[in-house]
Amino acid sequence: MSDTATPARTTGCPVAHGPLSSERTPTGCPVSQRAAEFDPFEDGYQQDPPEYVRWAREKEPIFYSPKLGYWVVTRYDDIKAVFRDNITFSPSNALEKITPTGDEANAVLASYGFALNRTLVNEDEPAHMPRRRVLMDPFTPEALKHHEPMVRELARSYVDRFIDDGRADLVDQMLWEIPLTVALHFLGVPEEDMDTLRKYSIAHTVNTWGRPKPEEQVAVAHAVGNFWQYAGKVLEKMRQDPDAPGWMQYGIRKQKLHPEVVTDSYLHSMMMAGIVAAHETTANATANAVKLLLQHPQVWQELCEDPGLIPNAVEECLRHNGSVAAWRRLVTRDTQVGGVDLPAGSRLLIVTSSANHDEAHFSDADLFDIRRDNASDHLTFGYGSHQCMGKNLARMEMQIFLEEFTRRLPHMRLSPQRFSYVPNTSFRGPEHLWVEWDPAANPERKNPALREVQVPVRIGEPSRHAIARPVVVERVTPVAEGIVKLRLVSPDGKPLPRWTAGSHIDVECGSPGLSRQYSLCGDPDEAGVLEIAVLHEPEGRGGSAWVHRQVKAGDRLRIRGPRNHFRLDESLAKAIFIAGGIGITPVSAMARRAKAIGMDYELHYSGQNRARMAFLDELAALHGERLQVHASDEGRRCDLHALLAEPVAGAQVYACGPLRMLQALEDCCAAWPEGALRVEHFESTLATLDPAKEQAFEVELKDSGLVVTVPPDQTLLSALRAANVDVQSDCEEGLCGSCEVRVLSGKVDHRDVVLTRPEREAHNKMMACCSRACEGRLVLEL
Ligand code: FMN
C-alpha cells in the first residue's frame, strides 16, 4: 500500500487519486484508499450519505468500490447525464439484489414461484416507454386532485389519535401507515392485511438494497415470497371488478386495448413494486423532512407562521435529506462519465443524495434553505424517462402532512434519540421519529375550529412566487442622480444565502404581484448582507418608483433568490466588462471578483454624465487603471467597435446595459468565437401571448418519451408542467434564462432576450416561457 498521491493518467483516468490501496479497478486504474474503504452499509453512509461521500464529490467524483463491485458516481452533472441516456446506462439492474443471496434463500423464493420481472423502474427500451405512456394519465396533477380530500382526512384522523398524548413516534403512529393506505387506494388494493404488508415491504427493501446476514436471508425470502403471492391474489380479485377506481384497474383495462404492452407478468410485478414505490419512499421522505425541520427550529417556526412556504420546503427537504439516497444503472457499451472510462458491463451506484449536495449546482449546498429557488432540481425523483411517476402524489402527501403538523402541533420538538436506519444503499428514513409537545398548549384547545382549516395543496412543482424571504432595509443611500442603494440584512440574524457575482434578487415592490429583479452589487464576501442599486424610471411600470418613494431604513421587504444567470467563468484568461448606466450593478460585482482572484480584466463604464453614474469613486479606488469611464457629455463615448475589433484569445466579454448597447455589441462581437459575448438584459420587449395570433405546436420530449401539444393560448412552459414535466423558471418574461431547454431538432421562434444571435440561429436551445415552434414539431431534451 502506498500513501503517495498519484497524478493518475496511467490508464486515461482523469482523476488524481488520493493515497492508494493495493486494489485496482477493472480498467486497471489504481483504487484510492478511501474508495477501497467505501462501504454503503456502514453507519456513516446510513446516517448521512452525502457527507459520507463528500471527499469523492470534491476530489474523486467517480470511483470504483471493490467492496461493492460498483462504480460510484457522486456529482450532479454526471448523474444527470447517466439518467439522461437510458440506452447506454440501462436501468435493468435497478431492482437487483445488491447483495447476492445464498442457495437456500434462492430456493425459498423459488418455492413461492417468485418471478418479479420488469417493472417501469427497471426495464429497457423499446418496451418501457410505450408502457409508461399507456399507464401515465392517472399521475398527472389534474388526475391527482381527487385524492387530496382522502389524504387530508387520513392525516387529520391520525393526528387526532395522539394529539393529546404529548408524545408520539410519528413513523409508527402515522407516517408509515398513511402513505401505505394512500398507495393502496391509488393502486386500487383492498385495505386489509396492512400489518402483513408492512412486514413484507420492509423485507423487500432488505432483499433488494440491503445486506442481510445468511441466517436473515431465509426469513427475508419467505416474507418476499409471501408478498409476491399476496400481490398475485389481489390482482386476481381486481380482475373481477376492472371498472373499480385504481391504477391497477386502469392497467387491467389498458391491457384489453394493448395486451402486448401491458402483460400479465408486468401487472403482477407492478402490483408488488408499486406498493413499495408509492409507500416506503413517501413514508421515509416525510420522516426525513420532519426530522430535518425540527432540527432547525427557526425554520420550523417560519413554516408554522407562513404555510405558503410548505411546497418549496418539501422540495428542499427532498433535496437536503431525501428518501432515495442512491440508484443503480448498468453500462451497456464502453463509454465515459466525467472523463472516466467505463467498460460495458460496469455497474453504477449513482448517489443522487450526493448530487443534491453538489456545490456546482446548488450554491451553499449544505445550507438548509426552504426558499432555495432551485430546490426542485434535486434528483431524488430521478430524471428523464424513468423519473418517478408518483412524484406529485408524494409531494401532495408531504405537503398535507406538514400542513397538519405545523397548524395543529407547532410546538412539537424532537425528543432526544439516536436515529436508526434499515441498512441498505437506497431507501433511507429513520425507523422511529419520537417527537414531544405540551398538550396543554395545543392551539386547538383554545380554538377548536383550527382542526378544519385548510390550505390548498399545490400539486406539481412549487411556484417560485411562494418562496419570498423577509429582509430588513438597513440603509438607503443615494449613489447617483435617480439611483439609490439599499443595504439589506436578515431580520433575525439568520444567515442570508451566499451569492456569486452576476446574481440578482427579486424584490416584491409593495405586493407579491409587483416584483422586480435587481442585481447584487455589493461584495459577495460580506456575509449576511445584500446590496442593490435601483434606478428610478419615472415612465416605468411602478416598481422602481415604489422603491424610491416608499422604502426607508428599518422597513421590511420580501425578496426571492439570489440566483445567477450571468456567471463569471473564473477559468478565463481575461474578462472585458462593459457596463452602460444602471447596468453597472452586476458588472461591478464581477469586476470585484475578477480582481479578487487575480484575473486579467478591464472595465468600461458608460453613462450620460458622471452625476448619473453610480459608484464612480468606489470603482476608481478599486480598479485604478483598469477602469475606463465614458461620459457622453464629456465627448467620451465608448467606441465598442474599436474596443472589440480583434478577438482576444481566451477572453470573454460581459456586458449589461441598455438594449441598444447590447444589440450593438452583438454586431461588434461577430468575429469573436461563439459564446464569447455574455449579456444580462434588464428590460424585456416581450409582448404577452395573444392566442388569436398564435399557432398550436407539438413537442416531442426525448428523455421522457412523451409528445405534448402546446395550444395557442398556452406557453410551452405551462404545457410541460401540465404533462408532469418539471422545468425551472423564474421571470417567465424571457429575460432571465432559467427555463432554458435543449432543442434536438426543429426550428424555434425565439422570443427571449437571453440568447445571442448565433445561439438563436443554432436552434439548439430555447426559453420555454415565451419561445415557440416556427412550424411543425420540436424535439426537446427533456
Ligand atoms: N434595475 C435597476 O435599477 N438596477 C438593477 O440592478 C437591475 N437589475 C436587473 C437585473 C435583471 C436580471 C433584470 C431582468 C432587471 C434588472 N433591473 C434592474 C430592472 C428592474 O427589474 C426593473 O425592470 C426596473 O426597475 C423598472 O421597473 P419599473 O418599470 O416597474 O419601474
Side-chain angles (χ1 to χ4, degrees), residues 210-286:
R211 188 186 275 175
K213 296 191 189 78
E215 61 276 18
E216 280 171 327
Q217 285 183 6
V218 173
V220 165
H222 279 291
V224 172
N226 275 314
F227 192 3
W228 174 253
Q229 291 198 340
Y230 171 84
K233 278 190 209 126
V234 176
L235 190 59
E236 277 319 304
K237 247 191 263 174
M238 290 168 161
R239 285 189 193 280
Q240 312 308 317
D241 186 12
D243 292 325
W247 187 53
M248 291 307 299
Q249 289 85 345
Y250 183 84
I252 291 168
R253 294 197 296 277
K254 288 283 174 185
Q255 188 178 35
K256 296 214 172 81
L257 301 173
H258 311 277
E260 70 303 338
V261 176
V262 187
T263 59
D264 283 347
S265 131
Y266 193 70
L267 283 174
H268 194 165
S269 299
M270 272 314 290
M271 176 78 201
M272 182 167 159
I275 294 172
V276 180
H279 160 219
E280 250 178 86
T281 46
T282 311
N284 282 333
T286 315

Side-chain angles (χ1 to χ4, degrees), residues 650-700:
Q652 213 152 38
V653 179
Y654 292 89
C656 183
L659 199 55
R660 259 178 308 109
M661 180 189 107
L662 298 180
Q663 283 164 346
L665 273 170
E666 274 194 36
D667 291 335
C668 300
C669 287
W672 285 61
E674 202 183 319
L677 172 65
R678 299 287 325 278
V679 301
E680 175 95 315
H681 281 267
F682 278 6
E683 43 193 315
S684 167
T685 48
L686 253 190
T688 46
L689 208 59
D690 178 356
K693 296 196 181 132
E694 303 295 351
Q695 304 269 357
F697 62 100
E698 273 188 350
V699 286
E700 181 185 331

Side-chain angles (χ1 to χ4, degrees), residues 50-102:
E51 187 55 36
Y52 185 74
V53 294
R54 177 187 294 280
W55 64 274
R57 201 163 55 245
E58 288 172 357
K59 298 211 173 67
E60 200 177 339
I62 298 172
F63 66 88
Y64 182 74
S65 159
K67 279 194 189 165
L68 206 59
Y70 275 67
W71 293 86
V72 183
V73 188
T74 58
R75 281 191 184 162
Y76 188 92
D77 284 349
D78 292 338
I79 292 181
K80 199 155 176 187
V82 168
F83 273 132
R84 181 168 274 144
D85 181 354
N86 66 344
I87 307 295
T88 309
F89 305 103
S90 156
S92 57
N93 65 346
L95 299 181
E96 244 170 41
K97 290 182 196 135
I98 206 157
T99 308
T101 39

Side-chain angles (χ1 to χ4, degrees), residues 621-651:
L622 200 61
H623 302 294
E625 301 270 283
R626 290 181 187 270
L627 171 71
Q628 298 284 319
V629 176
H630 309 272
S632 304
D633 70 336
E634 295 167 7
R636 298 185 43 151
R637 275 178 178 274
C638 182
D639 184 347
L640 295 174
H641 277 283
L643 180 66
L644 301 168
E646 291 295 324
V648 179

Side-chain angles (χ1 to χ4, degrees), residues 339-355:
V340 174
D341 289 328
L342 297 173
S346 299
R347 294 178 300 173
L348 305 186
L349 183 74
I350 47 179
V351 189
T352 42
S353 53
S354 167

Side-chain angles (χ1 to χ4, degrees), residues 483 502-505 509 514-521 532-546 548 565 582-586 656 680-684 731 733 735-736:
I483 304 177
S503 300
H504 67 270
I505 55 173
C509 299
L514 189 67
S515 84
R516 296 285 178 266
Q517 287 81 43
Y518 293 104
S519 301
L520 294 170
C521 57
I532 57 172
V534 178
L535 169 69
H536 184 199
E537 307 216 11
E539 308 300 321
R541 298 154 297 163
S544 60
W546 181 87
H548 278 257
H565 306 298
I582 192 62
I584 190 62
T585 46
C656 183
E680 175 95 315
H681 281 267
F682 278 6
E683 43 193 315
S684 167
C731 73
E733 284 187 284
L735 280 175
C736 72

